Amino acid sequence: VIALLMDIDSYPEWVYQCNTAKTQVIEDQPKLVYMAFNGIWPAKGRDVLVDHRIQQNHSTGRVHIHAFNSLEPYIGEKKYLRLPQLNNHWYITPLADGWVEIEFQSQFRAGGKLPNWLLNLVVTLAPKKTLEGMQKLLTSGRYNTATIHDLPIQTAEVLKLRFGAPPIIARD
């Protein structure tokens, strides 16, 4: 799951309406991610520069990835409107028998004037389609043998992650 979340090039394959995702290095900042999203008529597409923080509870193995819009200035394509706010949280918790629980929380402000029906469509469809796309890639076998050294983003936070046999949390 972590390998997929760190595989920025794969985002257009599974993140809802994402058409571009690429890493950006701005000065000595950790790698940032530029993302652009298709618009849904009548809305214009949106873009955002995403920063992230990764933490792990070493006693449970639970990983929290917080992705949020960076305050770094950047030049996107003129055809996109800038997302004024993006605040995503991914929680990955190891469970019994090799399973993991994935929790995804997303909060954003699209900017501009958009009809309520369109906002309602996006807030209900985007998480569902994103998680379905994630499941499709995770069950494809593409990430089955990934190790921490295969992760394309190698920050100090990422290299502190530990996997293996943390205490397992049983779910009923």
Side-chain angles (χ1 to χ4, degrees):
V1 175
I2 304 296
L4 174 60
L5 288 170
M6 295 287 110
D7 184 4
I8 308 309
D9 293 338
S10 75
Y11 283 17
E13 295 177 59
W14 64 276
V15 174
Y16 181 69
Q17 292 295 87
C18 179
N19 64 45
T20 302
K22 55 188 174 186
T23 55
Q24 302 282 308
V25 178
I26 297 179
E27 297 184 17
D28 292 331
Q29 291 288 329
K31 287 187 177 179
L32 303 174
V33 178
Y34 172 79
M35 297 177 72
F37 300 89
N38 297 319
I40 299 173
W41 183 89
K44 192 175 182 179
R46 302 296 198 264
D47 71 354
V48 64
L49 188 63
V50 180
D51 199 348
H52 64 277
R53 297 290 176 264
I54 302 173
Q55 297 175 315
Q56 183 178 36
N57 179 324
H58 291 288
S59 63
T60 65
R62 184 179 197 199
V63 174
H64 172 216
I65 300 174
H66 180 204
F68 50 94
N69 55 323
S70 172
L71 299 178
E72 292 292 329
Y74 68 99
I75 299 171
E77 294 183 43
K78 290 183 181 182
K79 65 182 180 178
Y80 297 112
L81 265 172
R82 185 72 26 94
L83 277 176
Q85 178 192 13
L86 177 70
N87 195 25
N88 288 344
H89 294 272
W90 292 92
Y91 298 95
I92 300 96
T93 306
L95 302 176
D97 299 325
W99 288 89
V100 294
E101 177 182 79
I102 301 169
E103 181 182 341
F104 173 48
Q105 299 173 3
S106 184
Q107 179 184 32
F108 72 96
R109 282 187 305 131
K113 291 184 179 185
L114 297 172
N116 286 337
W117 67 263
L118 180 58
L119 290 171
N120 289 334
L121 175 74
V122 171
V123 300
T124 56
L125 203 54
K128 180 181 186 297
K129 292 294 186 182
T130 295
L131 289 169
E132 287 173 353
M134 175 184 242
Q135 181 182 28
K136 184 178 179 181
L137 277 183
L138 288 173
T139 57
S140 73
R142 184 164 151 187
Y143 297 95
N144 286 1
T145 60
T147 70
I148 198 160
H149 302 292
D150 295 322
L151 300 179
I153 296 179
Q154 295 285 325
T155 64
E157 288 176 318
V158 169
L159 294 174
K160 289 180 188 174
L161 296 175
R162 296 291 171 254
F163 303 102
I168 298 299
I169 301 167
R171 299 277 189 209
D172 295 327

